[in-house]
């Protein structure tokens, strides 16, 4: 049986285009969905004194899942600010309570992007690949998606199915 995974949605709208493609992936994998917009997650602070939802959320995620799919819209050629802040805050668990951060070692990371263009620019994947390396996670890959007339185009549909199969083999 494959390990249970979670899709982490980092869009500025909970029911936007990224959610549309995420729903399809969710349906095909049975993975849970976490919408970062539903949580209060502040910017990283060096004193690590943030009082928000991040710590509890991160502990829950690392205790319950082995595969993490980061789903982000493309905003200004890169991941959304919401998603980037989530990555910044992982640093909290690299400074303190390091055993929580270390839980990610050996876990799987996949990435799904959704843009208006049909391609991402060179370099889009790099922060995910390098973060996976740094955290000791296995990088499963990235698919890029887009929406046409509020629907998932055939090419994208095929990509999602292929990605879902890859993720479920982990
Ligand atoms: C602030 C902002 C910046 C954007 N920048 C890009 C971009 O650089 N490349 C691109 O293909 N689409 C860009 N888009 C379009 C979105 O990626 C696209 O509409 C996506 O489907 C939105 O997903 P969402 O509904 O989950 O936010 C941008 C949209 C916004 C709001």
């Amino acid at each position: 049986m494959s390990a249970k995974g979670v899709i982490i949605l980092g869009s500025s709208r909970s029911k936007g285009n990224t959610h549309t493609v995420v729903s399809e992936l969710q349906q095909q994998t049975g993975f849970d969905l976490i919408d970062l917009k539903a949580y209060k997650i502040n910017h990283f602070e060096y004193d690590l004194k943030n009082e928000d939802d991040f710590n509890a959320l991160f502990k829950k995620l690392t205790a319950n899942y082995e595969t993490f799919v980061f789903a982000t819209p493309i905003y200004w050629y890169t991941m959304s600010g919401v998603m980037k802040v989530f990555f910044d805050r992982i640093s909290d668990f690299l400074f303190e309570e390091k055993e929580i951060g270390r839980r990610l070692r050996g876990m799987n990371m996949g990435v799904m992007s959704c843009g208006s263009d049909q391609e991402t620019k060179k370099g889009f994947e790099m922060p995910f690949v390098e973060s996976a390396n740094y955290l000791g996670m296995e990088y499963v890959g990235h698919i890029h998606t887009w929406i046409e007339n509020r629907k998932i185009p055939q090419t994208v549909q095929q990509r999602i199915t292929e990605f879902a199969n890859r993720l479920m083999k982990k």
Side-chain angles (χ1 to χ4, degrees):
M1 202 182 86
S2 65
K4 185 86 172 149
V6 62
I7 305 166
I8 299 173
L9 173 64
S11 173
S12 285
R13 49 181 184 180
S14 293
K15 299 281 181 217
N17 295 340
T18 313
H19 178 261
T20 302
V21 287
V22 156
S23 296
E24 184 59 33
L25 185 70
Q26 195 190 4
Q27 215 176 308
Q28 293 195 27
T29 53
F31 285 4
D32 289 337
L33 171 64
I34 293 287
D35 176 10
L36 293 180
K37 205 165 163 28
Y39 295 83
K40 183 171 180 265
I41 304 179
N42 298 333
H43 280 271
F44 173 78
E45 292 288 350
Y46 275 94
D47 65 9
L48 308 177
K49 292 214 166 70
N50 258 314
E51 286 187 12
D52 60 7
D53 299 332
F54 180 77
N55 288 13
L57 173 64
F58 191 73
K59 284 180 183 171
K60 188 179 108 177
L61 289 171
T62 53
N64 290 293
Y65 302 103
E66 287 186 10
T67 296
F68 297 81
V69 180
F70 292 97
T72 179
I74 305 274
Y75 293 159
W76 289 94
Y77 315 105
T78 185
M79 72 176 86
S80 67
V82 173
M83 184 63 78
K84 178 58 167 55
V85 169
F86 183 87
F87 272 91
D88 286 0
R89 291 297 301 285
I90 296 176
S91 308
D92 285 29
F93 288 102
L94 303 179
F95 285 104
E96 276 182 357
E97 294 187 87
K98 292 184 190 155
E99 73 286 355
I100 309 279
R102 286 192 195 116
R103 283 186 193 158
L104 290 171
R105 288 184 186 166
M107 294 191 181
N108 308 302
M109 183 195 292
V111 178
M112 186 183 212
S113 55
C114 179
S116 49
D117 292 348
Q118 298 190 5
E119 283 177 2
T120 52
K121 296 286 184 193
K122 188 168 153 261
F124 169 80
E125 255 190 297
M126 181 277 285
F128 296 100
V129 172
E130 295 303 334
S131 300
N133 278 343
Y134 190 81
L135 295 165
M137 299 179 79
E138 188 183 329
Y139 188 69
V140 184
H142 159 237
I143 57 163
H144 180 64
T145 68
W146 63 94
I147 292 293
E148 282 169 18
N149 306 320
R150 298 180 170 220
K151 292 212 176 72
I152 303 177
Q154 180 107 44
T155 324
V156 172
Q157 192 76 45
Q158 283 165 358
R159 273 183 203 181
I160 295 173
T161 302
E162 188 274 331
F163 195 45
N165 291 335
R166 225 185 317 156
L167 290 164
M168 285 192 300
K169 280 196 195 120
K170 289 290 157 194

